[in-house]
Amino acid sequence: MEYPIGIQDFEKLRKGNYVYVDKTNLIYKMVKEGSYYFLSRPRRFGKSLLISTLEVYFRGRKEFFEGLRIMELETEWAEYPVLHLDLNTEKYSSGVDLENKLDLFLKQCEAKYGKNPDEYSLATRFEGVIRRAAEKTGRNTVILVDEYDKPLLQAIGNEALQDDYRNTLKAFYGALKSMDRYIKFALLTGVTKFGKVSVFSDLNNLRDISMLKAYESICGITEEELYSVFEEDIRALGKANNMTEEETKAELKEKYDGYHFNEECVDIYNPFSILNTFANRKFDRYWFATGTPTFLVELMKGCKYDLKKLANEYASVDSLSGLETIKKDPVSILYQSGYLTIKGYDREFGIYSLGFPNKEVEEGFVESLLPNYTGMNNSESKFEIMNFVREIRTGDTDAFMKRLQSFFADTPYELVRDLELHYQNVMFILFKLLGFYTQAEYHTSEGRIDMVVKTHDYIYVMEFKLDGTAEEAMRQIESKDYPLPFECEGRKLVKLGVNFSNEKRNVERWVVSFQ
């Protein structure tokens, strides 16, 4: 079986006999039930392939759909003029980049459908092309926009440039409303949705299907699709990794499943990771490796985000659909870009609970946090975590604590804007990273942190004080009998009291007691 890794062109996919998870019944449903759509999905989730499939469909290329579900549904196969704008191919680092991209797109359209010299702006030229395409062919125009938000995301750290891009796109996309009588169908896709006060404020006829139950699986792979389309691949993957079929399915689910785009969504697997796993016969972090969340981490640091909320975050329905408040709260963009997903829903209050979708995302994201919060580079942080784990496993508590001291000592002063929050954030990152290799439980309250870490031979009960004493921390462990639930487990108990000093900006002292 050939895997279409990196292939986003539907014709190429079908000509090359690549595996295709059939979504054409949902495409038919979209076309017959409405005219204007918006779809948000994380990167590498199949948005570009969806756009390409629609383009081939609207060009009436029936031969590319042989054997697919749409053949049982569609009877007309009419050809329409298609205007396909892909905004994913520019860096958008200066004010003219977006204008140049749109100008090139319009020139290509005008070469085919004609030009009016009186159309002086990008928006009026777009209106003219839409109208002339319909008049010239006798059929209304189809408009497909891939990654509509790429310019806005690229300029997310530059407020003036983002405002410039927003105003340009707002006027440009406004042509979809003014030219309604000439438009057959329109779909805009992207990672994010910029809400009511942004690029869509004048375009209120778009139907947002991003969180609708009917279209939840239009991108991505459901478990049913995984088991039916990739049945032989699952067995081959298991054989290559000395795993049973059930073990292979469980590993695929743990690593790549878990995306939910509404409160009742079936589990959606990451298609990019699934295809790469089958092609390479190896489990790895394929999706995460294609893009680092650096700008997200900078946003979290800038708004003093408490990282422990990542394990159990909450958001309202409205807050997930827009990005206008990301400088105060990064949750909406963490969700829309695929680092958090819906885990539950409180209908009474309209509140979603959020968390990491799967192990690939959780491990990759948390590992990316450490160098950003400690000043280490990626290779240093991986080496330090490896040593942390080894020291915990061998009971070398002093080495573990000295390494923790080095974490804080190496942190540049300018990274620490709130000492207590920084202290708790670094401890959370460390706890999560240890948890990938050991059993770890972590709790916080005002002025203190406690942690339980279990390895094959040891159980660590740790109490962390802020501007107290290590002895106070140890007394609390003993007076509240923290080790009691673990005394019958047959492992060595290690009690560890630690004090963190604001003045020293580091771990001041620790005391250890073995039981």
Side-chain angles (χ1 to χ4, degrees), residues 10-11 24 27-32 50-62 64-65 70-71 73-80 82 142 144 184-185:
F10 183 70
E11 284 192 23
T24 56
I27 288 173
Y28 180 84
K29 179 182 174 67
M30 284 178 66
V31 173
K32 299 305 176 183
L50 172 63
I51 289 282
S52 177
T53 308
L54 279 162
E55 180 173 7
V56 177
Y57 166 78
F58 277 114
R59 293 197 186 280
R61 305 297 300 275
K62 178 180 178 180
F64 289 102
F65 294 88
I70 199 169
M71 292 297 289
L73 303 169
E74 184 59 83
T75 57
E76 297 181 8
W77 295 102
E79 182 178 0
Y80 294 86
V82 178
V142 171
L144 304 172
K184 164 69 177 175
F185 180 91

Side-chain angles (χ1 to χ4, degrees), residues 297-311:
V297 177
E298 291 302 317
L299 280 173
M300 290 191 295
K301 286 163 60 179
C303 64
K304 298 182 179 180
Y305 184 77
D306 187 348
L307 293 180
K308 70 175 181 289
K309 292 165 66 178
L310 288 170

Side-chain angles (χ1 to χ4, degrees), residues 108-127:
Q108 292 167 340
C109 297
E110 289 164 344
K112 188 172 184 178
Y113 298 112
K115 180 179 180 180
N116 184 340
D118 293 331
E119 294 163 357
Y120 59 93
S121 68
L122 294 169
T124 56
R125 288 170 64 194
F126 192 29
E127 289 175 342

